[in-house]
Amino acid sequence: MKPHKQIKDWGLGLSNPMIIGGPCSAETPEQIAQICSEMKENQIIPQVFRAGIWKPRTRPGSFEGVGEEGLKWMEIVRDELHIPVTVEVGNAAHVEMALKHNIEILWIGARTTVNPFAVQEIAEALRGVDVPVMIKNPMNPDLELWMGALERMYAVGITKLAAIHRGFSDAYDKRYRNKPNWSMPIHLKREWTGMEVINDPSHIVGRRDGLLEVAQSAMNFGLDGLMIETHHDPDKAWSDAKQQVTPRRLKEMIDSIEFKQSLENMKPDEKLFDLRRAVDHLDDQLLDILQERFTVIDQIGAHKREHNLTVFQSDRWKEVMDSRTEKGVKKQLSEKFMKELLYCIHEESVKRQERQLREVEPIHK
Ligand code: PEP
Ligand code: MN
């Protein structure tokens, strides 16, 4: 069973944009109380409070979370802020403990999403339970794994689902702790219309500076919320000290972000309507031209077959690639876009011609 593509029978349905704040890890009851009190003081009450209780560490020896005891401290959040709490679960035992302590929302971390065995184990533990689940993207940029984890939850009856975009591990990109690869969350939203995707700039950037820029991009792209790690004394945090911000800074950030309106739930205005009509018309023209181009490609294919020529000719390919890219760049299209577009068209052309050759020539043994 997959989340339905048309009818939105799943989702958290929380306010948009949804702000999730709270520390990377719960450390002590005093720490939780202090963060809550500073959130109140600075008038920045998130919709949901996050805290890691079990920390999946890349290497052993670093702080691995306070464990079950920390779940009791979540009462402080409920008493002080009156908001739901979310914690990360990595296995069935975590699920059982979190549910026992009435944790309102569960999340699955990036290191767990990569492992279908672990995700399935969590799903089984949740069968028949009505609790919202948020799933972080896997460490590697594999959309299928991310979707697979959401599907595994849906299949056991969890329909209150959301995704968290926390970026992807990349050994070569030093700007980010985890590279955003914006096409991934966008693709997820395209595949499953209405899927709520919350951006986690903290784990993308890995430092305090740059958080705002990523958070703003997320809102510009139309993502549905932000999860930002918040600590009253970030430098002394027991995990992810470099990237956490104070409640005061969280407030400043949220105040300075420009939240765009999502068009999904409103009537497009007239101007936008006209512009979209123009785009529809241009797309029709684009399709006509592509159809015409492939007709000619098929004629070339027939000629190659007749004269026993190979489908791929590297000189010609290079010339097409270089000349079109140059023309495209002059028309303000990026070189990367031109190359990707030409690769895509060329691949389809080569496939068609190769199929033509096979159709008339039986395979000789
Ligand atoms: C976290 O949210 O603190 C965390 C461990 O995140 P991720 O799973 O994205 O690495
Ligand atoms: Mn963290």
Side-chain angles (χ1 to χ4, degrees), residues 23-25 50 55 57 136 177 200 202-203 229 239-240 243-244:
C24 177
S25 304
R50 63 150 282 154
K55 299 305 295 178
R57 308 319 298 180
K136 287 206 177 192
R177 179 175 172 194
D200 169 353
S202 306
H203 291 88
E229 285 186 339
S239 61
D240 286 350
Q243 70 197 31
Q244 303 204 56

